[in-house]
Amino acid sequence: MESLVYIALFAPFVGSLFAGLFFARSPKNIIVGIVNPALIGLSLLASIILAFYVAEHGAVHVTMMDWISAGSLHIPFGFIVDKVSVTMMIVVTTVSTVVHVYSNGYMDHDKSFNRFFSYLSAFVFSMMILVMSDNFAGLFIGWEGVGVCSWLLIGFWYHKKDVTPDINPAISPSYAANEAFIMNRIADLGMLVGIFLIYWNVGSLQYDVVFKALPHLTDGILVAIAIGLFIGAMGKSAQFPLHTWLTDAMEGPTPVSALIHAATMVTAGVFLVIRANPLFGMEAVQGVSYFIAALGTFVAFYAASMALVNRDLKRIIAYSTLSQLGYMFAAAGLGAYWIALFHLAAHAFFKALLFLGAGNVMHAMDDELDLFKMGGLKKAMRGTYIYMGVASLALAGLPPLAGYFSKDAIIETAFNEGTLVLWGMLVFTAGLTAFYSFRQVFLTFEGEERYKLFGFHPHEMYKYVLIAMSPLAILAVVAGWFQGSFHEFIITLLPEYEMSHHTHHLAGKLGLIVLAFAITGIVIAYFKYARRGEKAFKQDEKVENGFIYKLLINQYYVPDFYVEFIVKPYKAISEKFWAIDKAVVDGTVDMIAKVIYTTGDKTRTIQNGNLSSYLNWMGAGTLLLILAAAVVAVMS
Amino acid sequence: MEHILSILIFFPLLAGILGFVVDKEVAKAYGISVAAVEFLLSLWLWASFDTNYAGMQFNEFAPIISQFGISYNLGVDGISLFIVLMSTLITLLGIILLDEDKIANMKNMIISLLFLEMTMVGVFLSLDAIIFYLFWELSLVPMLYIIGAWGGPTRVYAAVKFFLYTFAGSLVMLVGLLAIAYLYHLEAGVWTFNLLDWYQLDLSVGLQFWLFLALFAGFAIKVPMFPFHTWLPHAHGQAPTIGSVILAAVLLKMGTYGFVRFSLPLFPDASVEMIPFIVVLSIIMVIYTAMVAFAQKDMKQVIAYSSVSHMGIIMIGVFAMNAEGLGGSIFLMLSHGIVSGALFMLVGVIYERTGTKTMSEFGGLASIMPVYATVFGIMLMASVGLPLTIGFVGEFLVLLGFYEVSPIATILAGTTIIIGSVYMLSLFKKSFFGPVTNEKNRGLKDLNVRELTALLPLVAIVVWLGVYPKPVLGPIDKSVKQLLVNMEYKARTQKAKDTIISMQLAKEEK
Amino acid sequence: MIGVSHYLILSGLLFSIGFMGVLRRKNLLMLFFATEVMLNAVNIAFAAVGNYYGDLSGQMFAFFIIAVAASEVAVGLGLLILLYKKYGSLDLDVISSMKG
């Protein structure tokens, strides 16, 4: 089994090197387009075999070699494949395989085709390290690795130039890439502090050792560790207030958005909380866990509200990702780790599908993203319409699709915990989710064919790409049906979460409430956006000048706040510091030198070669010496 | 090869003297071959180094002035071994990178570099305070010449500032060294400048304090610590590429090495007492200079200020008083040497092509010079401390180690991972991303064979030591633990004994 | 009654006169005269103090100084003549050669 672990882990790495080293400078090479997806597929295969093995025989633990050992710190490259990590491995490799095949079509005409595959496979490798590592330092390797790959891929079209925020809120791909990297680094500092705390209080970073030692630690330390790790999770999973990078990250190519900024990397934070469930489940850190749940719920609502008014195809999906991540954190914070993991997996499938569908639309519309310039695309793009419809249904949580089961379980959990405010918000957000997803679908595919005004000639994506997307579509439909077996599979590792009798009793009614909200959302969206002719959708000036619309379209002015109160002051202070450095710090040094120099310059006139002035100085000196002698004599 | 250390020191000297009669046309080839032999010698030293022994190895001892106990005394341990290796490697690669068409008077350059190599190796191998001081001061001369002869427009100002500033500090240090010898004479009745003898000297806390400050003057200016850092941007701004590379990679490390070799073991109590003072200065270094780096318009100045910022992290690690932090800071000295050396080489490459280092003149270089951008990107990632590159290991260990001393200070210093990426990424964005704004840059050639030969070994090391740092970290760890045990044993006050953590070693041995 | 202190005051006055001459005069010849005055002031002091203590070595020193001063004047005046031949003047401002 060890060799399978290594195959699962290193196959993407081999692919990255293959594309990066041999084809980096050559034009598009179809070999890369075949070999790389095949290698990821190999990794998927290995993961599936491992899953069956793990289900039967328990976790596989391998230690490859030592990494860092200094003092009493010993960090190995160790990998553990247990039920949690194997679930993540399958999710990651499944979505990656589809995205790799899809990219063949999407990046068809890009001159950096090979480079793209190199980065994409490197990302998968980092993500596999992240989920498979058996210690916090190894997790951090993957954590930073996916960060760098995300940086490379968001800034993939680095040659685009910076524009003002009112043309493109993300300014430019390279700007968005830097923003994402730096914002993640802020969170990483929190994570590092958490790791340091673990090391100095436990003496090891291995998961098993740490989790065993947790009961012996004081409450304060536990809370501090939990906060540190969660700050790390907040950055990667783009939770408020570190969320602004995710929407700007949509500057990357769409397959990247599907893989990294929807299905896998952004769920790393949720994965961390699930992985560290022995910590977050402890009595002492219940406060932190509740905060996680509350923040998750808030983000779920907050992001959904911004998605209501946005006109950008990809940004709406990005907000919905944020919102769904909020759901996952809500579940994890409330102690329902397996439900969070379940939603993570289900969300990965339908969200990736949604993004890939959006990619098809962009491909058809010459990279146009404005929904108001689309409409009625269903004729030209039937396959994509079906895919995006299915994905949106799943996202909206309609039975029997995947989202229905996973999201419903989360909402039920919130009810079960008695946190009715969270429950209410989550239910309401479910309604919003349904509305904005279908607003997007209808604006794109139904209604008047507005694109004709702008001279677009949409065409369907290549057939093989559509076929390649089908596994995701199937999973988006059926994933929910396996809730029971997944529960059985995972529950030996993650703590059981049981609904109380009372909740169980009400489950049917609760589900109906959620469903009612969701259907209402879809119906409103239909009437507003899907109809043609007389009642076709038109922009409403009055609404668009309203306060709430302005607030939402400007993302609650949070990005502006960051620019005004963090970016600009930082620049100003830096400039000031530089001025100080030159004038004061260096100035002092130069002044000392100058004083010495001028003193020499002034006193050199003594040496003027005139005997008379020499004699004068000699006389003065003699007098001074006599005086000094006299003073000393008197003193003593 | 009994006298390997002497050979390491004097081979470049003799070769340098011989260099005067070498024909001008073959000066560079001569330099490369001498530096390569020297590097192979240092590799041989590593190969025959006993990694299980923590103390000094390959000792050489010959009295010079026996009345005063001044002797020719050399030795190497895990701490100095790799710094010597790095010095010889960087010198070799630096010479390879020299462009014969751009450097006037190549022969003099080679001779200066070989003299410089002698002094650098000498500083790290000396175990006698006078010999150490000798090499320390001699290292200024070739550097002064390199900046003054091949530098930019205000090279004389920069060279003189560099020389006088560091010289002023080292004079105070000399007074401190003489005072230690005097105190040793008072106590033991004999004169000696042997560092290993000095380690046995038991000084009162008050004396330790003043002596610490005297040595601090010499070391801190060399590091350079805030607020003594201002000679560095001038020196880097004017120095030719090779000067900057060696200055950043090796000469700065003399300061931190001095702290490790002299200040810590000689004055354990004072060192512990001075932690708050050093840490405040270091944190200012880390944050303040990183922000100044962000404000720069000139690519080389960004790297220069970033050097200061990273040296702040190294200083924090030196005063972490535990094996993780101290070992990490020594590893960080190596990694910073490799990475900043490479970054200065890269800036030199673009300067040679365009004649400018101003970032606004570039933009979109990634489309024109993809290989150059890739190498720069790797070094950038190492500089911001990405795991699996050499930069992470040291930074992680330093911050981890110092967390035990002060969590707040660690968090403040840890902002380096944020603001470090701010200035590095904005440099990268300004120079490499975006459309090609300057038409003149369109025809730029990518890295040629000469440049790749100099840079690829560094890339390989960055990845190798990032993935598998053990061969280097192991010997460092051994010697560092030994050092901490000695410090704890020697410390007089309970506070110092409590702060210095060397207990883990004792646990292991049991 | 004229005591030793009167001689010493005279000596001091003469010394001061000579000293002022050294400081103020610009002509080398006058400087020579001024140093002679100072030397003779010292001679007076030596003789007076030697007499006061009844010690002959004071007067001996005075003679010794007179002899040395005479030879010094001889050499010095020779040098002055050479300087005068070279510069045509004995003014210190004229013959100074360092620019400082």
Side-chain angles (χ1 to χ4, degrees):
Chain A
M1 280 304 118
E2 275 197 21
S3 52
L4 275 180
V5 175
Y6 289 133
I7 289 172
L9 180 63
F10 285 106
F13 182 60
V14 172
S16 172
L17 287 184
F18 176 74
L21 291 181
F22 300 131
F23 299 100
R25 312 199 55 188
S26 48
K28 181 192 167 178
N29 194 316
I30 197 66
I31 300 174
V32 173
I34 293 168
V35 168
N36 276 40
L39 283 167
I40 308 289
L42 182 67
S43 184
L44 167 64
L45 200 67
S47 304
I48 291 172
I49 300 173
L50 278 170
F52 284 108
Y53 181 85
V54 167
E56 211 151 297
H57 300 94
V60 185
H61 193 169
V62 296
T63 305
M64 199 166 76
M65 62 181 199
D66 278 348
W67 182 33
I68 298 177
S69 49
S72 44
L73 173 73
H74 298 286
I75 307 174
F77 282 117
F79 302 101
I80 185 156
V81 180
D82 59 11
K83 288 175 177 171
V84 172
S85 48
V86 87
T87 310
M88 288 298 289
M89 283 161 70
I90 290 179
V91 171
V92 169
T93 46
T94 308
V95 180
S96 304
T97 312
V98 174
V99 168
H100 269 76
V101 177
Y102 177 89
S103 303
N104 263 316
Y106 188 82
M107 301 299 283
D108 201 17
H109 304 297
D110 200 289
K111 64 175 166 36
S112 304
F113 181 86
N114 304 330
R115 185 165 63 94
F116 181 79
F117 274 93
S118 173
Y119 291 172
L120 207 59
S121 296
F123 168 80
V124 180
F125 173 61
S126 309
M127 194 67 205
M128 293 299 264
I129 292 185
L130 197 162
V131 298
M132 291 169 73
S133 189
D134 72 342
N135 61 67
F136 283 101
L139 174 94
F140 194 72
I141 298 177
W143 199 264
E144 293 286 286
V146 292
V148 169
C149 295
S150 154
W151 177 72
L152 288 168
L153 285 164
I154 297 172
F156 187 74
W157 289 312
Y158 56 77
H159 47 78
K160 290 189 185 168
K161 72 165 192 270
D162 288 9
V163 294
T164 49
D166 40 295
I167 299 173
N168 177 0
I171 295 177
S172 71
S174 51
Y175 188 91
N178 282 0
E179 182 193 359
F181 194 87
I182 290 163
M183 220 171 240
N184 271 300
R185 279 256 150 168
I186 296 171
D188 292 346
L189 181 59
M191 174 133 175
L192 273 180
V193 169
I195 291 176
F196 297 158
L197 268 167
I198 291 172
Y199 173 67
W200 285 111
N201 290 294
V202 180
S204 171
L205 293 175
Q206 301 296 116
Y207 289 146
D208 44 357
V209 181
V210 173
F211 295 149
K212 216 171 278 166
L214 285 177
H216 309 299
L217 302 182
T218 61
D219 289 1
I221 301 275
L222 287 173
V223 170
I225 294 174
I227 291 175
L229 292 182
F230 181 61
I231 290 176
M234 275 164 69
K236 223 33 20 130
S237 290
Q239 295 296 290
F240 183 86
L242 298 174
H243 63 282
T244 53
W245 67 268
L246 184 60
T247 38
D248 289 341
M250 294 302 119
E251 285 299 308
T254 308
V256 172
S257 310
L259 178 60
I260 302 187
H261 304 117
T264 55
M265 183 185 88
V266 287
T267 60
V270 184
F271 169 75
L272 174 64
V273 175
I274 295 171
R275 182 45 98 189
N277 69 75
L279 169 67
F280 287 99
M282 289 185 78
E283 201 54 49
V285 293
Q286 276 319 298
V288 179
S289 289
Y290 185 72
F291 174 76
I292 294 174
L295 184 72
T297 310
F298 166 71
V299 172
F301 171 77
Y302 171 79
S305 69
M306 290 188 285
L308 295 177
V309 297
N310 212 294
R311 291 167 49 172
D312 185 308
L313 182 65
K314 282 179 77 180
R315 280 175 172 260
I316 292 175
I317 313 182
Y319 286 126
S320 114
T321 305
L322 265 181
S323 174
Q324 298 303 309
L325 288 167
Y327 273 97
M328 293 173 213
F329 273 117
L334 292 173
Y337 299 104
W338 78 267
I339 295 175
L341 188 59
F342 185 56
H343 189 54
L344 190 162
H347 169 258
F349 300 137
F350 61 69
K351 188 52 67 62
L353 180 64
L354 198 55
F355 258 122
L356 296 182
N360 287 354
V361 174
M362 282 174 69
H363 200 257
M365 299 283 293
D366 302 334
D367 289 340
E368 180 56 60
L369 283 165
D370 191 347
L371 288 176
F372 291 0
K373 294 182 183 171
M374 301 175 186
L377 282 173
K378 66 178 169 186
K379 271 187 213 150
M381 313 182 69
R382 184 153 299 277
T384 305
Y385 181 33
I386 294 170
Y387 281 152
M388 282 190 81
V390 166
S392 296
L393 281 174
L395 176 59
L398 290 196
L401 285 85
Y404 168 74
F405 295 94
S406 57
K407 200 155 70 175
D408 209 43
I410 293 175
I411 296 173
E412 211 172 296
T413 308
F415 182 81
N416 188 44
E417 288 293 315
T419 49
L420 289 181
V421 178
L422 301 191
W423 176 78
M425 277 177 80
L426 290 175
V427 171
F428 183 63
T429 307
L432 296 183
T433 309
F435 173 76
Y436 69 69
S437 326
F438 278 90
R439 169 178 177 265
Q440 180 191 27
V441 171
F442 291 147
L443 276 177
T444 314
F445 294 102
E446 297 281 353
E448 293 287 341
E449 291 168 341
R450 292 183 297 274
Y451 63 84
K452 286 185 175 158
L453 295 176
F454 301 94
F456 290 112
H457 302 285
H459 52 89
E460 183 58 296
M461 196 64 169
Y462 309 112
K463 195 141 250 169
Y464 75 91
V465 171
L466 290 178
I467 294 171
M469 286 164 71
S470 62
L472 288 182
I474 295 166
L475 282 167
V477 176
V478 305
W481 306 348
F482 298 101
Q483 188 176 16
S485 39
F486 179 73
H487 179 230
E488 238 168 71
F489 171 74
I490 204 77
I491 214 63
T492 48
L493 191 65
L494 289 179
E496 171 65 298
Y497 186 84
E498 295 253 19
M499 302 297 164
S500 71
H501 198 68
H502 177 64
T503 315
H504 207 70
H505 191 65
L506 286 172
K509 285 175 193 162
L510 290 173
L512 277 181
I513 296 176
V514 180
L515 207 56
F517 267 91
I519 291 173
T520 317
I522 296 173
V523 171
I524 296 174
Y526 179 80
F527 280 112
K528 207 160 157 34
Y529 301 109
R531 291 189 294 181
R532 304 170 61 102
E534 279 286 289
K535 299 193 168 156
F537 163 72
K538 279 187 209 66
Q539 278 179 262
D540 186 347
E541 290 284 323
K542 224 173 88 189
V543 174
E544 288 188 8
N545 288 325
F547 170 73
I548 293 184
Y549 185 91
K550 281 255 182 274
L551 188 68
L552 294 179
I553 198 75
N554 286 306
Q555 310 180 36
Y556 295 93
Y557 295 99
V558 171
D560 298 328
F561 176 84
Y562 287 167
V563 168
E564 288 301 322
F565 290 92
I566 296 176
V567 177
K568 280 185 184 168
Y570 186 82
K571 259 187 189 156
I573 295 172
S574 297
E575 295 284 347
K576 193 109 254 165
F577 275 172
W578 188 26
I580 290 175
D581 203 55
K582 279 190 289 192
V584 181
V585 184
D586 199 24
T588 317
V589 180
D590 277 349
M591 204 177 70
I592 294 171
K594 210 172 166 188
V595 165
I596 295 172
Y597 191 81
T598 32
T599 315
D601 201 41
K602 292 272 185 278
T603 47
R604 73 172 191 178
T605 47
I606 295 173
Q607 208 79 352
N608 60 358
N610 190 322
L611 197 56
S612 168
S613 73
Y614 284 7
L615 286 171
N616 281 330
W617 281 111
M618 195 180 87
T622 317
L623 277 178
L624 213 68
L625 279 178
I626 291 170
L627 209 66
V631 168
V632 170
V634 170
M635 295 277 272
S636 56
Chain B
M1 296 285 254
E2 220 177 299
H3 298 289
I4 176 75
L5 300 188
S6 294
I7 296 171
L8 269 174
I9 294 178
F10 291 107
F11 174 66
L13 175 69
L14 291 176
I17 292 170
L18 268 182
F20 281 111
V21 296
V22 167
D23 194 47
K24 264 183 191 156
E25 302 302 311
V26 295
K28 188 181 165 187
Y30 176 75
I32 292 176
S33 37
V34 171
V37 171
E38 174 81 358
F39 177 61
L40 289 178
L41 284 172
S42 60
L43 277 184
W44 190 86
L45 176 70
W46 185 16
S48 46
F49 183 86
D50 180 1
T51 46
N52 292 316
Y53 181 65
M56 289 293 168
Q57 303 185 25
F58 301 99
N59 290 57
E60 286 182 39
F61 188 89
I64 299 175
I65 307 176
S66 39
Q67 299 95 307
F68 290 105
I70 300 172
S71 51
Y72 176 73
N73 187 1
L74 307 177
V76 64
D77 67 354
I79 297 172
S80 50
L81 171 66
F82 296 104
I83 308 186
V84 170
L85 264 166
M86 183 188 71
S87 314
T88 55
L89 174 70
I90 291 284
T91 312
L92 172 63
L93 298 180
I95 293 179
I96 290 175
L97 189 71
L98 288 175
D99 187 350
E100 275 172 315
D101 303 331
K102 299 268 168 148
I103 303 247
N105 225 335
M106 179 62 88
K107 197 164 121 181
N108 291 1
M109 175 63 99
I110 296 290
I111 292 166
S112 317
L113 286 173
L114 291 177
F115 280 135
L116 188 58
E117 184 167 27
M118 184 256 316
T119 61
M120 293 185 308
V121 175
V123 164
F124 296 122
L125 292 180
S126 302
L127 290 182
D128 184 278
I130 294 296
I131 303 287
F132 173 83
Y133 180 77
L134 211 67
F135 285 123
W136 176 281
E137 293 294 36
L138 275 180
S139 73
L140 294 180
V141 181
M143 193 42 104
L144 173 79
Y145 185 54
I146 289 174
I147 300 177
W150 288 277
T154 59
R155 56 182 180 270
V156 174
Y157 168 78
V160 168
K161 188 167 197 168
F162 159 71
F163 189 92
L164 289 183
Y165 207 153
T166 46
F167 189 66
S170 14
L171 283 181
V172 182
M173 177 182 89
L174 177 64
V175 173
L177 292 177
L178 295 177
I180 298 170
Y182 177 72
L183 290 169
Y184 191 91
H185 177 70
L186 279 188
E187 194 164 304
V190 288
W191 288 98
T192 179
F193 284 89
N194 186 340
L195 196 55
L196 301 180
D197 290 342
W198 283 6
Y199 284 170
Q200 314 302 324
L201 181 62
D202 191 20
L203 294 167
S204 76
V205 179
L207 278 173
Q208 282 188 27
F209 180 77
W210 289 109
L211 292 171
F212 181 93
L213 280 184
L215 265 59
F216 177 82
F219 299 147
I221 291 177
K222 199 84 172 186
V223 168
M225 290 190 75
F226 177 88
F228 309 118
H229 66 276
T230 51
W231 61 267
L232 188 78
H234 288 289
H236 275 311
Q238 298 305 318
T241 302
I242 178 75
S244 293
V245 169
I246 291 186
L247 185 60
V250 188
L251 293 195
L252 303 191
K253 307 302 174 297
M254 289 182 181
T256 43
Y257 175 80
F259 277 110
V260 177
R261 189 59 92 212
F262 284 83
S263 301
L264 289 187
L266 287 175
F267 325 118
D269 301 294
S271 300
V272 170
E273 286 294 325
M274 297 297 271
I275 288 177
F277 169 69
I278 299 276
V279 165
V280 167
L281 284 188
S282 305
I283 288 174
I284 294 175
M285 271 166 89
V286 170
I287 297 176
Y288 167 86
T289 46
M291 291 182 77
V292 176
F294 179 65
Q296 300 301 311
K297 314 270 180 280
D298 182 314
M299 208 191 231
K300 203 171 181 186
Q301 293 294 326
V302 178
I303 317 276
Y305 275 106
S306 88
S307 273
V308 183
S309 184
H310 281 123
M311 293 307 281
I313 301 286
I314 296 179
M315 283 308 298
I316 283 177
V318 169
F319 285 82
M321 301 294 162
N322 51 45
E324 289 86 353
L326 186 50
S329 84
I330 289 157
F331 193 85
L332 193 53
M333 289 184 209
L334 303 171
S335 81
H336 178 255
I338 302 284
V339 174
S340 68
L343 284 172
F344 276 117
M345 285 180 185
L346 288 163
V347 174
V349 165
I350 195 71
Y351 182 64
E352 270 178 20
R353 290 202 187 3
T354 61
T356 178
K357 292 171 291 192
T358 317
M359 285 183 281
S360 54
E361 295 279 320
F362 307 134
L365 286 183
S367 328
I368 309 166
M369 307 167 72
V371 177
Y372 177 66
T374 310
V375 175
F376 205 111
I378 292 170
M379 289 304 163
L380 176 149
M381 284 302 157
S383 170
V384 300
L386 184 81
L388 299 190
T389 66
I390 196 169
F392 175 75
V393 181
E395 207 168 85
F396 177 74
L397 285 174
V398 165
L399 293 175
L400 178 89
F402 203 76
Y403 194 86
E404 181 67 0
V405 182
S406 160
I408 300 292
T410 308
I411 293 171
L412 285 174
T415 53
T416 181
I417 68 166
I418 304 164
I419 52 184
S421 49
V422 170
Y423 63 74
M424 280 316 268
L425 291 183
S426 77
L427 177 151
F428 203 69
K429 177 171 156 42
K430 280 181 208 161
S431 317
F432 291 89
F433 290 158
V436 182
T437 44
N438 193 340
E439 284 304 316
K440 268 186 278 177
N441 291 338
R442 231 175 247 290
L444 291 181
K445 294 230 165 34
D446 212 335
L447 296 182
N448 57 30
V449 178
R450 171 175 57 84
E451 290 152 353
L452 281 174
T453 323
L455 286 166
L456 285 185
L458 293 177
V459 172
I461 290 173
V462 161
V463 176
W464 167 48
L465 289 183
V467 176
Y468 193 58
K470 204 178 174 186
V472 172
L473 210 47
I476 290 178
D477 194 43
K478 270 247 149 38
S479 295
V480 161
K481 279 175 178 160
Q482 179 73 40
L483 176 78
L484 287 167
V485 169
N486 290 342
M487 275 179 76
E488 188 172 11
Y489 173 73
K490 205 182 141 184
R492 282 186 160 193
T493 58
Q494 193 55 43
K495 183 185 167 196
K497 278 191 193 298
D498 290 344
T499 312
I500 302 165
I501 301 178
S502 62
M503 284 310 289
Q504 274 109 344
L505 180 71
K507 251 188 260 168
E508 264 173 24
E509 280 178 342
K510 277 172 204 161
Chain C
M1 179 63 200
I2 296 170
V4 69
S5 55
H6 293 90
Y7 288 107
L8 287 181
I9 289 167
L10 173 68
S11 156
L13 279 173
L14 276 175
F15 190 86
S16 302
I17 290 167
F19 190 63
M20 287 313 288
V22 166
L23 293 186
R24 301 299 309 159
R25 289 291 177 172
K26 293 277 180 185
N27 193 303
L28 262 182
L29 200 60
M30 290 319 235
L31 278 173
F32 251 111
F33 292 163
T35 39
E36 287 304 317
V37 173
M38 284 165 76
L39 282 172
N40 283 310
V42 174
N43 279 345
I44 290 170
F46 266 126
V49 173
N51 185 44
Y52 177 74
Y53 285 115
D55 188 347
L56 277 178
S57 49
Q59 277 136 8
M60 262 170 61
F61 249 102
F63 280 118
F64 196 65
I65 290 172
I66 290 168
V68 170
S71 48
E72 176 222 316
V73 166
V75 176
L77 283 177
L79 287 172
L80 281 190
I81 289 164
L82 283 175
L83 274 174
Y84 187 77
K85 278 184 180 165
K86 195 172 177 194
Y87 292 101
S89 160
L90 284 178
D91 196 314
L92 281 173
D93 292 338
V94 174
I95 63 174
S96 71
S97 60
M98 283 161 77
K99 289 294 164 269

